[in-house]
Amino acid sequence: MKKADILRDAAVKLESIDINLSLQLMEMALSERPTGKVIKAKLLKYYEIVKDRNNKLEVISKRVSNGELAIIPIGFRCYTKKILGKNSILQASLPFDNGFFPSSSVASIIINGEVDLVNCGVSSKHGHDVCIKKENLIDGFSKKYIHFRRSDYHDIDEFVSSSKKNDLNNFLDSTRGYYTLDRFHNYVLAHYNWHKSADSKLSKGISDPVENIKAINDIMNKRIARMNRMCESASDVFFIYYNHQGYDYMKIDDCVYEARNLGVIRDAVVSKYGYKCQVKEVSSDCDLLSVFEEYLRETNAPKK
């Protein structure tokens, strides 16, 4: 099979997943076969689709900017914020942007309205622990999960100094931050709680957990307050869930927390902000656009 055919066929297969990538591949196919009629026809169609898509995203972006619409990423990891950014939804950081947030944790933060990572008495239900991570695990029912085991700073520092590079990510995240568990809400943060080996541009030279945890606590509560303001003032609110890696649940020690129990989140957001809120799960750019297209049809429809 010729290169032009391979590129063309790949573009067609990706139409419903990533239209921008399909367009790029079809442009490459055209450069390989400038007289290809099928390739030219497909390319014209892609240009029209992308133009229409960009126009709709521009409208959505404007409504987010002026506060008419609030879009809150609640995905299990940071991928939801990334897919929104990729689709021109750029906004200030929100509480569920960076970390591992099971559905019950999202609901708990929304209902309670604050976090307390600082109060670290041994018997306190508040405060934090640092954890060791193992991911991409499969249980006996073929369910995929990620496991965090509580540890302490001393043990993790020893593991880091003795571990091989290929398992370092079990003890520190990609930016050399500790995996930090909120004891009360049961989520695990990545980044911010810097190990001494972290890049000073990120850590600003601070690797003292006391200082880092206080700063993280302030950041999280500011983001929660920002989310509350956005949701309270907006006419419509979308909580967008994108589980890029397909996790079914998260374990903390022996406790299991579902990753995609959207019902518990839906109950929490309606209780907190009212029926203007919707919780939507998306699995691709096209799914996300479908959510926005439905919203635009509803909001632009003539009033009866």
Side-chain angles (χ1 to χ4, degrees):
M1 185 180 286
K2 294 183 179 179
K3 187 175 180 180
D5 296 325
I6 295 171
L7 291 166
R8 178 200 63 205
D9 293 348
V12 171
K13 285 183 179 179
L14 289 168
E15 285 178 7
S16 62
I17 300 173
D18 190 333
I19 191 64
N20 286 308
L21 181 54
S22 287
L23 187 148
Q24 293 172 22
L25 291 170
M26 202 62 80
E27 286 178 333
M28 293 166 65
L30 184 64
S31 68
E32 293 290 327
R33 185 179 295 159
T35 59
K37 291 182 180 180
V38 173
I39 293 173
K40 286 182 177 180
K42 277 287 188 182
L43 202 49
L44 286 174
K45 179 184 175 183
Y46 290 170
Y47 284 137
E48 291 175 5
I49 292 172
V50 169
K51 182 179 179 182
D52 177 64
R53 182 177 180 278
N54 289 342
N55 287 340
K56 289 172 181 173
L57 289 173
E58 184 177 355
V59 173
I60 293 294
S61 181
K62 285 181 179 178
R63 292 191 185 184
V64 170
S65 296
N66 66 25
E68 179 182 348
L69 172 65
I71 299 177
I72 313 298
I74 54 170
F76 187 62
R77 297 178 81 159
C78 59
Y79 299 108
T80 306
K81 181 180 181 179
K82 289 180 180 178
I83 196 175
L84 290 173
K86 181 182 174 184
N87 287 278
S88 305
I89 311 301
L90 303 172
Q91 53 190 0
S93 295
L94 293 167
F96 314 115
D97 285 351
N98 295 300
F100 305 83
F101 290 89
S103 301
S104 58
S105 299
V106 173
S108 180
I109 289 171
I110 288 168
I111 293 300
N112 287 279
E114 65 178 0
V115 302
D116 180 6
L117 298 166
V118 177
N119 184 356
C120 247
V122 173
S123 61
S124 174
K125 65 179 180 179
H126 294 285
H128 76 281
D129 292 296
V130 287
C131 299
I132 297 169
K133 179 194 73 170
K134 287 189 177 180
E135 56 183 328
N136 295 314
L137 302 171
I138 305 294
D139 68 15
F141 300 95
S142 299
K143 291 189 174 183
K144 186 177 180 181
Y145 70 101
I146 186 168
H147 187 207
F148 290 95
R149 178 169 61 81
R150 295 171 201 249
S151 183
D152 60 48
Y153 288 103
H154 177 266
D155 282 353
I156 289 178
D157 289 350
E158 284 199 345
F159 285 131
V160 168
S161 63
S162 62
S163 70
K164 299 176 182 178
K165 288 185 178 179
N166 59 359
D167 66 357
L168 182 61
N169 192 243
N170 293 339
F171 308 106
L172 300 174
D173 64 45
S174 59
T175 59
R176 299 293 180 92
Y178 295 96
Y179 298 110
T180 306
L181 167 70
D182 182 323
R183 291 178 180 171
F184 183 79
H185 296 292
N186 296 306
Y187 62 87
V188 175
L189 284 174
H191 316 305
Y192 308 121
N193 188 8
W194 308 111
H195 184 263
K196 60 186 177 182
S197 64
D199 189 326
S200 61
K201 291 179 181 177
L202 295 172
S203 69
K204 298 180 173 59
I206 299 172
S207 59
D208 176 14
V210 174
E211 289 187 65
N212 280 327
I213 291 299
K214 184 179 184 305
I216 296 168
N217 206 69
D218 291 344
I219 288 169
M220 284 293 293
N221 284 320
K222 285 177 182 177
R223 291 179 179 180
I224 294 168
R226 179 180 293 134
M227 175 182 68
N228 286 336
R229 291 193 299 271
M230 289 170 61
C231 293
E232 288 163 1
S233 63
S235 302
D236 295 281
V237 183
F238 284 105
F239 287 80
I240 302 294
Y241 178 87
Y242 175 50
N243 188 343
H244 174 68
Q245 294 178 305
Y247 280 111
D248 293 294
Y249 61 89
M250 179 171 116
K251 284 184 75 173
I252 300 172
D253 294 332
D254 294 324
C255 296
V256 172
Y257 302 89
E258 291 183 73
R260 50 157 52 95
N261 183 355
L262 302 189
V264 73
I265 299 176
R266 190 172 292 109
D267 290 344
V269 300
V270 169
S271 173
K272 182 80 171 185
Y273 308 114
Y275 287 96
K276 62 184 178 179
C277 298
Q278 298 183 55
V279 178
K280 298 288 188 179
E281 180 173 5
V282 302
S283 59
S284 66
D285 287 0
C286 290
D287 279 355
L288 183 63
L289 185 63
S290 295
V291 169
F292 293 153
E293 286 175 333
E294 181 182 1
Y295 160 73
L296 290 174
R297 282 195 299 271
E298 292 173 354
T299 55
N300 292 335
K303 304 295 182 183
K304 295 183 180 180

